[in-house]
Amino acid sequence: MNTINTPDLVCFSHLRWDFVYQRPQHLMTRFAAQYRVIFIEEPVYHGDDIGYNATAIPSNIIRVVPHLPQGLTPAESLAEMKQLLRQIFDELQIESYFFWYYTPMALAVSEDYNPLMIVYDCMDELSAFKFAPQELKDREKELMSKADIVFTGGHSLYESKKHLHHNIHPFPSSIDVEHFYKARYYTEDPDDQLHIPHPRIGFYGVIDERMDIALIDSIARRKPEWHFVLIGPVVKIDENDLPRLPNIHYLKKKEYQDLPSYISGWDIAMLPFAHNESTRFISPTKTPEYLAAGKPVISTPIIDVIRHYGANKLVHIAGTADEFIRVAALELGTRDRKEWLAQVNDLLSKNSWDKTWQQMMHLMEVQLTSKINPVITKPRENAYV
Protein backbone atom coordinates (compact mmCIF):
# COMPACT_ATOMS: atom_id res chain seq x y z
CA MET A 1 0.00 0.00 0.00
CA ASN A 2 2.05 2.92 -1.28
CA THR A 3 -0.75 5.38 -1.88
CA ILE A 4 0.46 8.12 0.46
CA ASN A 5 4.21 7.77 1.08
CA THR A 6 3.71 4.43 2.82
CA PRO A 7 1.78 5.28 5.99
CA ASP A 8 2.69 4.07 9.45
CA LEU A 9 0.59 1.36 11.06
CA VAL A 10 -0.32 2.51 14.57
CA CYS A 11 -1.53 -0.50 16.57
CA PHE A 12 -3.34 -0.14 19.92
CA SER A 13 -3.09 -3.37 21.91
CA HIS A 14 -4.35 -4.63 25.26
CA LEU A 15 -1.74 -7.42 25.03
CA ARG A 16 1.89 -6.63 25.75
CA TRP A 17 4.46 -7.48 23.14
CA ASP A 18 6.52 -9.59 25.54
CA PHE A 19 3.52 -11.51 26.93
CA VAL A 20 2.47 -14.66 25.05
CA TYR A 21 3.54 -14.65 21.39
CA GLN A 22 0.27 -14.85 19.48
CA ARG A 23 -1.89 -13.21 16.82
CA PRO A 24 -0.74 -9.57 17.25
CA GLN A 25 2.95 -10.49 17.12
CA HIS A 26 2.51 -12.80 14.15
CA LEU A 27 0.63 -10.20 12.14
CA MET A 28 2.58 -7.09 13.14
CA THR A 29 5.95 -8.68 12.30
CA ARG A 30 4.60 -9.37 8.81
CA PHE A 31 3.04 -5.95 8.37
CA ALA A 32 6.42 -4.50 9.34
CA ALA A 33 7.73 -5.67 5.97
CA GLN A 34 5.44 -3.04 4.40
CA TYR A 35 5.05 -0.35 7.07
CA ARG A 36 6.72 1.06 10.11
CA VAL A 37 4.63 -0.42 12.93
CA ILE A 38 4.06 1.62 16.11
CA PHE A 39 2.79 -0.86 18.71
CA ILE A 40 1.20 1.11 21.56
CA GLU A 41 0.33 -0.80 24.71
CA GLU A 42 -1.95 0.14 27.59
CA PRO A 43 -0.24 2.23 30.27
CA VAL A 44 1.79 0.88 33.18
CA TYR A 45 0.97 2.59 36.48
CA HIS A 46 3.85 3.08 38.92
CA GLY A 47 5.80 5.78 40.72
CA ASP A 48 5.26 9.42 39.94
CA ASP A 49 6.65 9.69 36.42
CA ILE A 50 4.66 10.42 33.27
CA GLY A 51 6.24 9.35 30.01
CA TYR A 52 6.79 6.41 27.73
CA ASN A 53 9.44 3.94 26.65
CA ALA A 54 9.92 3.41 22.94
CA THR A 55 11.89 0.28 22.08
CA ALA A 56 12.94 -0.63 18.56
CA ILE A 57 12.20 -4.27 17.82
CA PRO A 58 14.05 -5.78 14.88
CA SER A 59 11.87 -5.84 11.76
CA ASN A 60 10.67 -2.22 11.71
CA ILE A 61 8.51 -2.26 14.86
CA ILE A 62 8.60 0.32 17.66
CA ARG A 63 7.08 -0.90 20.93
CA VAL A 64 5.65 1.97 23.01
CA VAL A 65 4.86 1.48 26.71
CA PRO A 66 3.22 4.53 28.36
CA HIS A 67 3.94 5.15 32.07
CA LEU A 68 1.51 6.93 34.37
CA PRO A 69 1.64 7.58 38.12
CA GLN A 70 -0.56 5.61 40.47
CA GLY A 71 -3.65 7.17 41.98
CA LEU A 72 -4.99 8.99 38.92
CA THR A 73 -8.72 9.15 38.34
CA PRO A 74 -10.01 7.71 35.02
CA ALA A 75 -10.45 11.25 33.67
CA GLU A 76 -6.91 12.20 34.69
CA SER A 77 -5.48 9.02 33.12
CA LEU A 78 -7.29 9.74 29.88
CA ALA A 79 -6.03 13.32 29.76
CA GLU A 80 -2.45 12.22 30.42
CA MET A 81 -2.67 9.47 27.81
CA LYS A 82 -3.95 11.91 25.20
CA GLN A 83 -1.02 14.20 25.95
CA LEU A 84 1.41 11.27 25.73
CA LEU A 85 -0.06 10.18 22.40
CA ARG A 86 0.48 13.66 20.98
CA GLN A 87 4.05 13.49 22.24
CA ILE A 88 4.55 10.06 20.69
CA PHE A 89 3.23 11.25 17.33
CA ASP A 90 5.47 14.31 17.44
CA GLU A 91 8.68 12.61 18.55
CA LEU A 92 8.29 9.57 16.28
CA GLN A 93 7.25 11.87 13.41
CA ILE A 94 4.05 10.01 12.64
CA GLU A 95 2.38 11.97 9.87
CA SER A 96 0.68 9.60 7.45
CA TYR A 97 -0.88 6.69 9.29
CA PHE A 98 -3.76 4.32 9.82
CA PHE A 99 -5.04 2.83 13.06
CA TRP A 100 -5.24 -0.86 13.93
CA TYR A 101 -7.14 -1.69 17.12
CA TYR A 102 -7.02 -4.80 19.28
CA THR A 103 -8.74 -3.01 22.13
CA PRO A 104 -11.78 -0.75 21.71
CA MET A 105 -10.77 0.94 24.97
CA ALA A 106 -8.09 2.85 23.04
CA LEU A 107 -10.76 4.79 21.17
CA ALA A 108 -11.02 7.39 23.91
CA VAL A 109 -7.30 8.12 23.69
CA SER A 110 -7.15 8.28 19.88
CA GLU A 111 -10.47 9.99 19.09
CA ASP A 112 -8.87 13.30 18.07
CA TYR A 113 -6.98 11.85 15.09
CA ASN A 114 -7.84 11.43 11.44
CA PRO A 115 -6.28 8.16 10.21
CA LEU A 116 -6.34 7.14 6.58
CA MET A 117 -8.13 3.99 7.61
CA ILE A 118 -9.33 2.22 10.76
CA VAL A 119 -8.94 -1.55 11.13
CA TYR A 120 -10.44 -3.50 14.02
CA ASP A 121 -8.92 -6.95 14.46
CA CYS A 122 -11.41 -8.50 16.87
CA MET A 123 -9.41 -11.52 17.99
CA ASP A 124 -11.64 -12.42 20.98
CA GLU A 125 -14.95 -11.51 22.56
CA LEU A 126 -13.18 -9.32 25.11
CA SER A 127 -16.39 -8.21 26.78
CA ALA A 128 -16.93 -11.79 27.99
CA PHE A 129 -13.56 -11.99 29.74
CA LYS A 130 -13.23 -11.81 33.49
CA PHE A 131 -13.26 -8.25 34.92
CA ALA A 132 -14.26 -6.74 31.55
CA PRO A 133 -15.95 -3.35 32.17
CA GLN A 134 -19.31 -2.36 30.67
CA GLU A 135 -17.46 0.46 28.91
CA LEU A 136 -15.76 -2.14 26.73
CA LYS A 137 -19.06 -3.10 25.10
CA ASP A 138 -19.93 0.55 24.53
CA ARG A 139 -16.53 1.28 23.04
CA GLU A 140 -16.71 -1.72 20.73
CA LYS A 141 -20.06 -0.53 19.41
CA GLU A 142 -18.44 2.84 18.71
CA LEU A 143 -15.43 1.20 17.07
CA MET A 144 -17.68 -0.88 14.84
CA SER A 145 -19.32 2.34 13.64
CA LYS A 146 -15.97 3.99 12.90
CA ALA A 147 -13.96 1.10 11.48
CA ASP A 148 -13.46 0.82 7.74
CA ILE A 149 -12.77 -2.89 7.93
CA VAL A 150 -13.19 -5.55 10.65
CA PHE A 151 -11.41 -8.88 11.00
CA THR A 152 -12.44 -11.57 13.47
CA GLY A 153 -10.30 -14.24 15.11
CA GLY A 154 -12.63 -17.09 14.13
CA HIS A 155 -15.82 -18.10 12.36
CA SER A 156 -17.99 -18.25 15.48
CA LEU A 157 -16.96 -14.73 16.39
CA TYR A 158 -17.66 -13.64 12.81
CA GLU A 159 -21.14 -15.13 12.90
CA SER A 160 -21.94 -13.29 16.12
CA LYS A 161 -20.78 -9.91 14.74
CA LYS A 162 -21.33 -10.03 10.98
CA HIS A 163 -24.57 -8.03 11.27
CA LEU A 164 -22.68 -5.21 13.00
CA HIS A 165 -20.47 -4.16 10.07
CA HIS A 166 -20.69 -4.06 6.28
CA ASN A 167 -17.05 -4.99 5.68
CA ILE A 168 -16.21 -7.81 8.11
CA HIS A 169 -14.10 -10.90 7.40
CA PRO A 170 -13.25 -14.01 9.47
CA PHE A 171 -9.58 -14.92 9.84
CA PRO A 172 -9.25 -17.91 12.18
CA SER A 173 -6.07 -18.90 13.96
CA SER A 174 -3.17 -19.48 11.62
CA ILE A 175 0.15 -21.28 11.92
CA ASP A 176 3.89 -20.91 11.51
CA VAL A 177 4.27 -24.48 10.28
CA GLU A 178 8.04 -24.58 10.01
CA HIS A 179 8.51 -23.41 13.58
CA PHE A 180 6.29 -26.06 15.18
CA TYR A 181 7.31 -28.77 12.73
CA LYS A 182 10.64 -28.79 14.59
CA ALA A 183 8.88 -30.60 17.45
CA ARG A 184 8.72 -33.71 15.30
CA TYR A 185 12.50 -34.00 15.41
CA TYR A 186 13.65 -32.80 18.84
CA THR A 187 15.23 -35.55 20.89
CA GLU A 188 16.26 -33.84 24.13
CA ASP A 189 13.95 -32.48 26.84
CA PRO A 190 14.45 -29.04 28.39
CA ASP A 191 15.88 -29.31 31.91
CA ASP A 192 12.64 -28.50 33.75
CA GLN A 193 10.67 -31.11 31.80
CA LEU A 194 13.32 -33.83 31.80
CA HIS A 195 12.34 -35.30 35.17
CA ILE A 196 8.61 -35.62 34.36
CA PRO A 197 7.61 -39.24 33.68
CA HIS A 198 5.66 -40.42 30.64
CA PRO A 199 2.97 -40.47 29.48
CA ARG A 200 2.79 -36.67 29.32
CA ILE A 201 -0.25 -34.65 28.32
CA GLY A 202 0.62 -31.01 27.73
CA PHE A 203 -0.82 -27.54 27.35
CA TYR A 204 0.79 -24.16 26.75
CA GLY A 205 -0.86 -20.76 26.79
CA VAL A 206 -2.44 -18.39 29.27
CA ILE A 207 -3.85 -20.13 32.34
CA ASP A 208 -6.94 -18.10 33.20
CA GLU A 209 -10.71 -18.33 33.60
CA ARG A 210 -11.00 -20.04 30.23
CA MET A 211 -9.28 -23.19 31.49
CA ASP A 212 -11.40 -26.04 32.89
CA ILE A 213 -9.41 -26.52 36.07
CA ALA A 214 -11.95 -28.95 37.52
CA LEU A 215 -11.64 -31.19 34.45
CA ILE A 216 -7.85 -31.37 34.74
CA ASP A 217 -8.11 -32.07 38.45
CA SER A 218 -10.61 -34.88 37.88
CA ILE A 219 -8.58 -36.60 35.17
CA ALA A 220 -5.32 -36.26 37.11
CA ARG A 221 -6.87 -37.82 40.22
CA ARG A 222 -8.28 -40.75 38.28
CA LYS A 223 -5.12 -41.35 36.25
CA PRO A 224 -2.21 -40.73 38.64
CA GLU A 225 0.16 -42.51 36.24
CA TRP A 226 -0.47 -39.82 33.59
CA HIS A 227 1.42 -36.54 33.94
CA PHE A 228 0.03 -33.16 32.96
CA VAL A 229 2.42 -30.41 31.84
CA LEU A 230 0.94 -26.88 31.97
CA ILE A 231 3.09 -24.12 30.48
CA GLY A 232 2.16 -20.46 30.69
CA PRO A 233 1.45 -17.47 32.92
CA VAL A 234 -1.41 -17.56 35.44
CA VAL A 235 -3.64 -14.54 34.83
CA LYS A 236 -6.84 -13.23 36.50
CA ILE A 237 -7.26 -16.32 38.67
CA ASP A 238 -5.74 -17.17 42.05
CA GLU A 239 -2.83 -19.59 41.77
CA ASN A 240 -4.05 -21.13 45.02
CA ASP A 241 -7.15 -22.33 43.16
CA LEU A 242 -5.11 -24.44 40.75
CA PRO A 243 -5.10 -28.20 41.43
CA ARG A 244 -1.91 -29.32 43.17
CA LEU A 245 -1.24 -32.99 42.57
CA PRO A 246 2.02 -34.93 42.12
CA ASN A 247 1.19 -35.54 38.45
CA ILE A 248 0.35 -31.93 37.54
CA HIS A 249 3.41 -29.85 36.64
CA TYR A 250 3.36 -26.05 36.19
CA LEU A 251 6.38 -24.92 34.19
CA LYS A 252 5.62 -21.18 33.93
CA LYS A 253 5.79 -19.12 30.76
CA LYS A 254 8.24 -20.10 28.00
CA GLU A 255 9.60 -18.15 25.07
CA TYR A 256 7.94 -18.76 21.72
CA GLN A 257 11.13 -20.12 20.18
CA ASP A 258 11.41 -22.75 22.94
CA LEU A 259 7.90 -24.19 22.63
CA PRO A 260 8.72 -26.90 20.05
CA SER A 261 11.32 -28.45 22.36
CA TYR A 262 8.69 -28.80 25.10
CA ILE A 263 5.91 -30.10 22.84
CA SER A 264 8.31 -32.64 21.37
CA GLY A 265 8.45 -34.41 24.72
CA TRP A 266 4.68 -34.75 25.10
CA ASP A 267 2.63 -37.79 24.17
CA ILE A 268 -0.62 -35.86 23.76
CA ALA A 269 -1.49 -32.15 23.55
CA MET A 270 -4.69 -30.81 25.07
CA LEU A 271 -7.08 -27.87 24.86
CA PRO A 272 -8.86 -28.05 28.24
CA PHE A 273 -11.13 -25.04 27.83
CA ALA A 274 -14.12 -24.53 30.07
CA HIS A 275 -17.64 -23.87 28.81
CA ASN A 276 -18.34 -20.25 29.67
CA GLU A 277 -18.88 -16.87 28.03
CA SER A 278 -15.16 -16.25 27.57
CA THR A 279 -14.72 -19.42 25.46
CA ARG A 280 -17.92 -19.21 23.44
CA PHE A 281 -16.26 -17.72 20.35
CA ILE A 282 -12.59 -18.65 20.71
CA SER A 283 -10.56 -20.15 17.89
CA PRO A 284 -7.41 -21.41 19.65
CA THR A 285 -4.16 -20.73 17.82
CA LYS A 286 -2.73 -23.74 19.63
CA THR A 287 -4.83 -26.20 17.62
CA PRO A 288 -2.87 -26.00 14.34
CA GLU A 289 0.38 -25.49 16.28
CA TYR A 290 -0.10 -28.76 18.15
CA LEU A 291 -0.93 -30.51 14.88
CA ALA A 292 2.13 -29.08 13.13
CA ALA A 293 4.17 -30.50 16.01
CA GLY A 294 2.77 -33.92 15.13
CA LYS A 295 0.99 -34.45 18.44
CA PRO A 296 -2.48 -35.97 18.82
CA VAL A 297 -4.83 -33.37 20.28
CA ILE A 298 -7.74 -33.67 22.70
CA SER A 299 -10.02 -30.65 23.04
CA THR A 300 -13.14 -29.85 24.96
CA PRO A 301 -16.11 -29.01 22.68
CA ILE A 302 -15.07 -25.61 21.33
CA ILE A 303 -17.20 -24.75 18.30
CA ASP A 304 -14.38 -23.62 15.99
CA VAL A 305 -12.23 -26.61 16.96
CA ILE A 306 -15.09 -29.01 16.24
CA ARG A 307 -15.89 -27.30 12.94
CA HIS A 308 -12.39 -27.20 11.48
CA TYR A 309 -10.58 -30.08 13.18
CA GLY A 310 -12.97 -32.36 15.04
CA ALA A 311 -15.38 -32.93 12.16
CA ASN A 312 -12.60 -34.41 9.99
CA LYS A 313 -11.23 -36.44 12.92
CA LEU A 314 -7.92 -34.57 13.18
CA VAL A 315 -8.65 -33.63 16.80
CA HIS A 316 -10.46 -35.64 19.48
CA ILE A 317 -13.37 -33.87 21.18
CA ALA A 318 -13.95 -34.77 24.83
CA GLY A 319 -16.33 -32.85 27.06
CA THR A 320 -16.04 -34.93 30.22
CA ALA A 321 -13.33 -36.66 32.23
CA ASP A 322 -14.67 -40.06 31.09
CA GLU A 323 -14.46 -39.07 27.41
CA PHE A 324 -11.01 -37.55 27.84
CA ILE A 325 -9.64 -40.66 29.56
CA ARG A 326 -11.15 -42.93 26.90
CA VAL A 327 -9.68 -41.11 23.88
CA ALA A 328 -6.35 -40.45 25.61
CA ALA A 329 -6.00 -44.18 26.36
CA LEU A 330 -6.70 -44.95 22.71
CA GLU A 331 -4.07 -42.45 21.56
CA LEU A 332 -1.48 -43.72 24.02
CA GLY A 333 -1.97 -47.18 22.52
CA THR A 334 -1.64 -45.98 18.92
CA ARG A 335 1.69 -46.49 17.19
CA ASP A 336 0.93 -45.85 13.51
CA ARG A 337 -0.17 -42.28 12.76
CA LYS A 338 1.04 -42.03 9.15
CA GLU A 339 -2.41 -41.59 7.63
CA TRP A 340 -3.43 -39.05 10.26
CA LEU A 341 -0.19 -37.09 9.80
CA ALA A 342 -0.72 -37.04 6.03
CA GLN A 343 -4.17 -35.50 6.55
CA VAL A 344 -2.71 -33.02 9.04
CA ASN A 345 0.02 -31.99 6.61
CA ASP A 346 -2.51 -31.51 3.83
CA LEU A 347 -4.66 -29.23 6.01
CA LEU A 348 -1.70 -27.21 7.28
CA SER A 349 -0.36 -26.68 3.76
CA LYS A 350 -3.37 -24.43 3.13
CA ASN A 351 -2.96 -22.34 6.26
CA SER A 352 -0.20 -19.95 7.33
CA TRP A 353 0.25 -16.54 8.92
CA ASP A 354 1.87 -15.43 5.66
CA LYS A 355 -1.32 -16.23 3.74
CA THR A 356 -3.48 -14.58 6.38
CA TRP A 357 -1.34 -11.44 6.25
CA GLN A 358 -1.44 -11.34 2.43
CA GLN A 359 -5.22 -11.71 2.36
CA MET A 360 -5.62 -8.97 4.96
CA MET A 361 -3.27 -6.74 2.98
CA HIS A 362 -5.37 -7.20 -0.15
CA LEU A 363 -8.60 -6.30 1.63
CA MET A 364 -6.96 -3.26 3.18
CA GLU A 365 -5.58 -2.09 -0.16
CA VAL A 366 -9.03 -2.38 -1.72
CA GLN A 367 -10.55 -0.49 1.20
CA LEU A 368 -8.03 2.34 1.12
CA THR A 369 -8.34 2.65 -2.63
CA SER A 370 -12.12 2.79 -2.34
CA LYS A 371 -11.85 5.61 0.22
CA ILE A 372 -9.67 7.60 -2.14
CA ASN A 373 -11.81 6.64 -5.14
CA PRO A 374 -15.34 5.81 -3.90
CA VAL A 375 -16.32 4.43 -7.30
CA ILE A 376 -14.28 1.30 -6.54
CA THR A 377 -16.50 -1.64 -5.63
CA LYS A 378 -16.22 -2.88 -2.07
CA PRO A 379 -14.85 -6.39 -1.57
CA ARG A 380 -17.25 -9.23 -0.90
CA GLU A 381 -17.31 -10.88 2.49
CA ASN A 382 -15.09 -13.93 2.41
CA ALA A 383 -13.95 -16.52 4.91
CA TYR A 384 -10.27 -17.37 5.06
CA VAL A 385 -9.11 -20.53 6.79
Side-chain angles (χ1 to χ4, degrees), residues 307-324:
R307 176 182 293 171
H308 299 295
Y309 304 99
N312 52 15
K313 301 187 185 306
L314 295 182
V315 170
H316 294 287
I317 305 300
T320 66
D322 285 341
E323 292 172 350
F324 191 105

Side-chain angles (χ1 to χ4, degrees), residues 80-276:
E80 294 294 352
M81 276 297 297
K82 284 189 171 186
Q83 180 61 36
L84 278 179
L85 190 59
R86 285 191 288 270
Q87 184 180 341
I88 291 165
F89 265 62
D90 181 53
E91 294 179 356
L92 297 182
Q93 299 180 340
I94 303 171
E95 298 175 355
S96 175
Y97 56 92
F98 64 91
F99 284 164
W100 181 293
Y101 291 91
Y102 279 110
T103 171
M105 298 298 283
L107 267 180
V109 176
S110 56
E111 62 187 359
D112 299 329
Y113 293 78
N114 187 28
L116 297 171
M117 178 172 58
I118 294 176
V119 179
Y120 177 30
D121 189 14
C122 181
M123 61 181 286
D124 288 303
E125 184 58 272
L126 295 178
S127 62
F129 279 34
K130 196 170 186 177
F131 306 128
Q134 175 59 40
E135 184 185 358
L136 184 58
K137 294 182 180 180
D138 299 333
R139 288 294 182 185
E140 183 178 68
K141 183 177 180 181
E142 181 184 357
L143 181 53
M144 282 287 190
S145 70
K146 291 183 175 181
D148 296 292
I149 186 166
V150 177
F151 303 131
T152 67
H155 287 276
S156 297
L157 194 55
Y158 166 77
E159 288 167 358
S160 75
K161 294 184 181 294
K162 63 183 180 181
H163 65 287
L164 300 176
H165 201 275
H166 67 280
N167 191 13
I168 183 169
H169 309 267
F171 282 94
S173 302
S174 206
I175 173 70
D176 182 350
V177 175
E178 291 184 4
H179 180 66
F180 287 94
Y181 203 87
K182 298 172 187 174
R184 301 189 188 190
Y185 301 104
Y186 276 118
T187 57
E188 186 173 344
D189 264 319
D191 289 343
D192 57 348
Q193 186 170 270
L194 186 61
H195 71 285
I196 300 174
H198 288 267
R200 298 173 185 160
I201 301 174
F203 167 89
Y204 68 81
V206 181
I207 300 172
D208 58 15
E209 78 274 16
R210 293 172 296 174
M211 178 172 284
D212 193 336
I213 295 172
L215 177 67
I216 296 173
D217 180 70
S218 177
I219 300 167
R221 289 181 185 279
R222 292 170 58 181
K223 302 296 292 184
E225 71 275 20
W226 294 356
H227 288 262
F228 296 83
V229 180
L230 303 178
I231 294 174
V234 179
V235 178
K236 293 187 291 185
I237 60 174
D238 191 335
E239 290 197 32
N240 294 324
D241 292 335
L242 297 175
R244 301 289 176 177
L245 295 169
N247 60 334
I248 300 180
H249 310 269
Y250 299 97
L251 301 190
K252 306 296 184 180
K253 176 192 168 190
K254 305 301 174 187
E255 296 299 324
Y256 178 73
Q257 64 266 23
D258 296 328
L259 290 176
S261 63
Y262 283 91
I263 304 170
S264 180
W266 300 350
D267 298 286
I268 294 173
M270 64 176 173
L271 295 165
F273 289 109
H275 287 241
N276 56 40

